[in-house]
Amino acid sequence: MSTSIAPGPNRHPLVLAAGRAHPELAKNVAKELGIDLLGVSAYDFANSETYVRFSESVRGMDLFLLQSHTMPVNQWIMEQLLMVDAAKRASAHSVTVVAPFFGYARQDKKSRGREPISARLIADLFKTAGADRLMSVDLHTAQIQGFFDGPVDHLWAMPILVDYVRTRVDVENVTVVSPDAGRIRVAEIWASKLGGGPLAFVHKTRDVTRPNQSVANRVVGDVQGRDCVLVDDLIDTGGTIAEAVKVIMAAGAKSVTVAATHGVLSGPAAQRLTECGAREVVVTDTLPIEDDRRFPNLKVLSIAPLLASAINEVHSDGSVTSLFDGNS
């Protein structure tokens, strides 16, 4: 296969390159596009500095740089920034940063005085490095799109997740549950796509001085005897989701299926999600999930077809929004 797709309406070939953070996803996206990945030489010096270089010319290309910001987050963000800089200095026509999971997205506002707005800083760094466009999947909040001074393609994993979950539950007996009041709008869209069943949400409290910790107090809504689908954008240590599942089951739910886009799955997440009582935990592969972080009731769906479709739409001057029924 070639490493590029023929020029689109703008007369520039498409090429895809990736950092070292999630090579399996990069290969799958390239396969969906019907091309080979552009060769990249990347390594770390003894003092942990990163070196990158493209092995082929990118002059005049529409270059898509894929890197998901998994652990160690700072290393992979820096590597992607260096790739952007290298591409601009090598005369690429355009550079699109493809970050399926956008690092620091949860730090999108100031909760207390003297805090940074870290998500804005990351967006500024990519713009300063020379990125023309940003593409990501299910940003923590939609407002992050406004942090980048340029086009942002905000993709939804919901169609992929919904199609799978629909085959695993009784759609005549589904209640969609939001893990907190702030994500009710997302739960409403889920409910409409699963047949228009009732909504519920888990009332919880969070101490902003203690990261990754919250307390699920009670569930508000009709869950008695129902197949519940608990939806969120990401699962990190699993504490919030595990406690929410327990609260929902204690309120009389027949079953709980958890669906989230990003499986961060840090620390005790696997054990917590195994023991919480969820029938199934469904995530996509926006982040790599090593064997030691997998567990029996985990299902991982491929995000590669969605990324490839979005990349094709951008390159052909098509409509990314059309991939989501005009809702993106």
Side-chain angles (χ1 to χ4, degrees):
M1 288 191 295
S2 170
T3 56
S4 66
I5 290 178
N10 57 18
R11 312 306 301 169
H12 298 279
L14 180 158
V15 290
L16 175 69
R20 294 172 291 168
H22 197 348
E24 183 179 1
L25 177 60
K27 291 175 184 176
N28 289 338
V29 173
K31 183 178 180 180
E32 291 285 338
L33 290 169
I35 60 176
D36 290 321
L37 285 168
L38 184 72
V40 178
S41 175
Y43 56 82
D44 300 317
F45 289 101
N47 69 345
S48 80
E49 289 181 4
T50 298
Y51 172 88
V52 297
R53 180 182 181 271
F54 299 110
S55 61
E56 301 174 40
S57 173
V58 296
R59 183 180 298 274
M61 304 287 189
D62 283 338
L63 179 58
F64 291 79
L65 295 176
L66 192 154
Q67 181 90 299
S68 205
H69 303 159
T70 187
M71 298 176 284
V73 175
N74 296 339
Q75 177 181 358
W76 301 134
I77 290 176
M78 190 66 200
E79 182 174 272
Q80 195 172 26
L81 286 166
L82 293 171
M83 292 172 70
V84 173
D85 185 75
K88 296 303 287 189
R89 295 179 188 279
S91 301
H93 173 258
S94 69
V95 178
T96 298
V97 167
V98 183
F101 179 78
F102 188 78
Y104 290 88
R106 283 175 284 181
Q107 299 185 49
D108 61 322
K109 61 184 182 297
K110 291 178 65 173
S111 299
R112 308 168 70 204
R114 302 183 297 279
E115 288 182 342
I117 302 179
S118 305
R120 171 59 192 264
L121 175 60
I122 299 302
D124 286 345
L125 288 171
F126 280 117
K127 186 64 179 180
T128 300
D132 299 290
R133 191 180 195 102
L134 180 66
M135 181 181 294
S136 191
V137 183
D138 285 338
L139 292 165
H140 188 59
T141 54
Q143 72 193 37
I144 295 173
Q145 296 174 80
F147 292 173
F148 182 76
D149 186 15
V152 176
D153 299 303
H154 187 201
L155 313 183
W156 289 7
M158 187 183 298
I160 296 170
L161 292 165
V162 168
D163 284 349
Y164 177 79
V165 170
R166 188 184 289 117
T167 67
R168 307 292 289 171
V169 298
D170 178 4
V171 293
E172 301 296 324
N173 188 48
V174 166
T175 293
V176 177
V177 185
S178 171
D180 54 53
R183 297 190 65 79
I184 284 291
R185 175 56 184 156
V186 174
E188 286 178 340
I189 300 173
W190 264 87
S192 68
K193 292 182 178 295
L194 288 177
L199 294 172
F201 73 90
V202 177
H203 179 270
K204 69 180 183 182
T205 55
R206 182 185 296 275
D207 183 348
V208 297
T209 67
R210 304 178 68 186
N212 297 114
Q213 294 189 37
S214 64
V215 178
N217 297 316
R218 66 184 184 278
V219 61
V220 180
D222 179 20
V223 299
Q224 179 72 39
R226 301 187 66 83
D227 292 318
C228 294
V229 180
L230 179 62
V231 298
D232 208 349
D233 62 324
L234 64 87
I235 305 173
D236 192 350
T237 61
T240 297
I241 290 294
E243 290 304 311
V245 171
K246 293 175 183 177
V247 168
I248 296 167
M249 292 299 292
K254 179 181 176 183
S255 69
V256 180
T257 299
V258 176
T261 301
H262 309 294
V264 182
L265 304 181
S266 305
Q271 181 177 352
R272 287 173 172 174
L273 295 170
T274 299
E275 298 173 352
C276 70
R279 181 169 67 180
E280 192 168 22
V281 178
V282 186
V283 299
T284 73
D285 63 348
T286 55
L287 292 163
I289 303 176
E290 293 81 8
D291 289 344
D292 63 350
R293 292 190 289 140
R294 294 182 180 244
F295 46 95
N297 57 331
L298 176 69
K299 177 67 176 181
V300 182
L301 305 176
S302 175
I303 201 73
L306 176 63
L307 291 172
S309 295
I311 288 170
N312 262 325
E313 290 295 332
V314 170
H315 179 244
S316 64
D317 287 344
S319 171
V320 174
T321 302
S322 67
L323 301 175
F324 308 99
D325 300 322
N327 292 317
S328 179

